[in-house]
Amino acid sequence: MDPVHESNDYMPALGGKFSKYKVNPIQLQERESGVISPKWTKVLLIVLGFALVFALGGLCTLGILYNNKLADFESLNNQHIMVSKQLSAQKINNTIMKKEFKDLTARYNTLREWLSFYDAQTCNLSVDGWIACRGKLYLFNSDKLNWSSSQDVCISKGADLVTITNQTEQNYLVSKIKEAHWIGLNDLETEGHWVWVNNQTLTETGVQFWFMDSPRQPDNWRNQDPSGENCASLGDENGNFQSWFDASCKKTRKFICEKKY
Ligand SMILES: *[C@@H]1O[C@H](CO)[C@@H](O)[C@H](O)[C@H]1NC(C)=O
Ligand SMILES: *[C@@H]1O[C@H](CO)[C@@H](O)[C@H](O)[C@H]1NC(C)=O
Ligand SMILES: *[C@@H]1O[C@H](CO)[C@@H](O)[C@H](O)[C@H]1NC(C)=O
Ligand SMILES: *[C@@H]1O[C@H](CO)[C@@H](O)[C@H](O)[C@H]1NC(C)=O
Ligand SMILES: *[C@@H]1O[C@H](CO)[C@@H](O)[C@H](O)[C@H]1NC(C)=O
C-alpha cells in the first residue's frame, strides 16, 4: 500500500468525514497475511493519519479565526472612518474624545498589522502540496496536460481548475508561476461566451484579466488548431504571466487546481 496515496485520499475529509479511515476487508486480508504490509506500516499509517487530521484541524481553526478577525477589522475600519469624519467635520476640541480616537486608531493599526501578517502566513501554509490562501486551497501541478485532462486530474483530487474571482487572487497566482498554467475558464460550449468550470460567467465574477496588448486576447487564433482557442491559460509561451490568453485546448500545460477549505 502506498502511504502517499492514502494521505491524498484523506484530503477531502476536511469536512470531518472519518469514514475514509475504515479499512476495507481486502486490505485487511492483505495485511493479516503479512505478504504485502509489515505490521509497522499499519502503525505508521495510523500515526500519519493522526498527524494529517491534526494539520487539517489546525487549518480549519485558522480559517475560522481569520474570518472572525476580518469581520472585526471591517467593523473597526468603519468605526474609525466615521469617528475621524465626525472629528474633522465638527472640529470637536474635546480631550476625552481625542483620547478615544487615539485608542481606536491604535487598535485599528494593531489589527491591521495582525491581518496582513496572517494573510502572508496563510498563503505559506502547505499540506501535501496544497497551499492554503484566503479561503481556498491551491495545487500547482507541474505535469503538463491538455485542458480537459487537467480538469479531470483536479476533479480526481476533489477539486476543479482554478477560478479567478478578484485582483488579489490574480496577483497571488501570478506571483507563484514561472510559466503558462491552465485555469478553469473556457468557451467550448459557445464561441466567445467564456464560462468558469463552476458555470459562472465573467459578468458574474466581475473581473477579467485578458492580455490587452497586441494581439489582444481572446483572439480565437486558428492557425495552429482549426477548432480555434477555446481554453484559457494564465500566461503564454512568451513570458507574459500576468494575463490570460486563450489557447488551443489540445496544448499541454501545467495547471492550477483549487478547492475550498
Ligand atoms: C483645544 O484644546 C487645547 C488643549 O487641549 C487648547 O490649548 C486650545 O486652546 C483649544 N482650542 C479651542 C479652539 O478651544
Ligand atoms: C511566505 O513565503 C514567501 C516565499 O514563498 C516569502 O517571501 C515570505 O516572506 C513568506 N511569508 C512569511 C510570513 O513567512
Ligand atoms: C478575493 O478572492 C479570494 C478567494 O476567492 C477571497 O478569499 C477574498 O476575500 C477576495 N478578496 C476580495 C477583496 O474580494
Ligand atoms: C454546469 O452546467 C452543466 C450543464 O449546463 C451541468 O451539467 C453542470 O452540473 C453544471 N456545473 C455546476 C458546477 O453547476
Ligand atoms: C487530452 O488528452 C487526453 C489524454 O492524453 C486525450 O485522451 C484527449 O483526447 C485529449 N483531448 C484533447 C481535446 O486534446
Side-chain angles (χ1 to χ4, degrees):
M1 190 181 299
D2 173 8
V4 174
H5 177 252
E6 273 283 277
S7 57
N8 274 343
D9 279 347
Y10 291 150
M11 283 303 295
L14 270 171
K17 286 188 205 119
F18 290 93
S19 58
K20 298 239 169 197
Y21 285 93
K22 279 183 198 148
V23 180
N24 82 38
I26 296 164
Q27 288 169 342
L28 203 60
Q29 259 178 1
E30 282 172 357
R31 285 185 195 172
E32 276 170 1
S33 67
V35 178
I36 289 174
S37 310
K39 278 219 162 118
W40 58 263
T41 311
K42 233 196 263 181
V43 176
L44 192 66
L45 277 179
I46 290 168
V47 171
L48 271 178
F50 271 110
L52 200 62
V53 168
F54 244 62
L56 298 185
L59 265 185
C60 290
T61 314
L62 282 175
I64 292 164
L65 244 170
Y66 176 72
N67 280 334
N68 288 348
K69 285 291 175 193
L70 204 60
D72 275 3
F73 179 71
E74 267 158 21
S75 90
L76 199 55
N77 194 15
N78 290 341
Q79 233 177 316
H80 190 251
I81 291 169
M82 211 179 66
V83 174
S84 75
K85 267 188 191 158
Q86 261 180 12
L87 272 177
S88 67
Q90 302 174 0
K91 298 219 185 317
I92 294 171
N93 195 5
N94 177 308
T95 46
I96 294 170
M97 265 202 84
K98 274 191 174 164
K99 191 186 172 309
E100 264 176 20
F101 182 63
K102 222 177 111 192
D103 288 351
L104 191 59
T105 306
R107 263 175 69 200
Y108 169 82
N109 286 336
T110 310
L111 199 50
R112 197 170 58 178
E113 267 168 38
W114 196 87
L115 276 180
S116 70
F117 173 75
Y118 189 87
D119 260 348
Q121 291 296 324
T122 49
C123 294
N124 282 7
L125 242 175
S126 166
V127 180
D128 273 354
W130 292 86
I131 302 172
C133 186
R134 300 184 190 92
K136 286 183 178 180
L137 290 166
Y138 298 105
L139 185 67
F140 293 83
N141 285 272
S142 48
D143 298 333
K144 289 191 177 180
L145 298 173
N146 65 33
W147 189 88
S148 58
S149 295
S150 302
Q151 168 67 349
D152 287 346
V153 167
C154 292
I155 289 175
S156 77
K157 294 172 185 291
D160 273 310
L161 278 173
V162 70
T163 58
I164 302 175
T165 56
N166 60 48
Q167 182 81 57
T168 312
E169 190 173 20
Q170 164 80 5
N171 292 351
Y172 172 70
L173 297 175
V174 166
S175 78
K176 300 293 284 186
I177 63 166
K178 293 191 179 66
E179 62 183 282
H181 282 64
W182 287 128
I183 57 176
L185 183 65
N186 70 77
D187 73 341
L188 285 161
E189 193 102 338
T190 310
E191 174 53 37
H193 181 64
W194 290 88
V195 287
W196 291 103
V197 285
N198 63 6
N199 288 345
Q200 272 193 307
T201 63
L202 294 179
T203 320
E204 280 162 353
T205 53
V207 287
Q208 37 191 309
F209 301 101
W210 295 110
F211 187 70
M212 282 305 179
D213 289 344
S214 183
R216 198 188 164 104
Q217 305 289 306
D219 59 356
N220 202 36
W221 200 53
R222 292 177 191 271
N223 284 25
Q224 286 178 354
D225 178 357
S227 59
E229 299 183 311
N230 301 324
C231 291
S233 134
L234 180 58
D236 68 356
E237 289 101 338
N238 305 319
N240 301 302
F241 308 136
Q242 321 74 359
S243 319
W244 304 349
F245 292 81
D246 63 347
S248 162
C249 303
K250 295 174 186 160
K251 282 193 176 174
T252 59
R253 302 215 147 147
K254 295 184 176 182
F255 55 100
I256 309 167
C257 301
E258 76 162 44
K259 59 182 168 186
K260 300 272 190 292
Y261 66 83

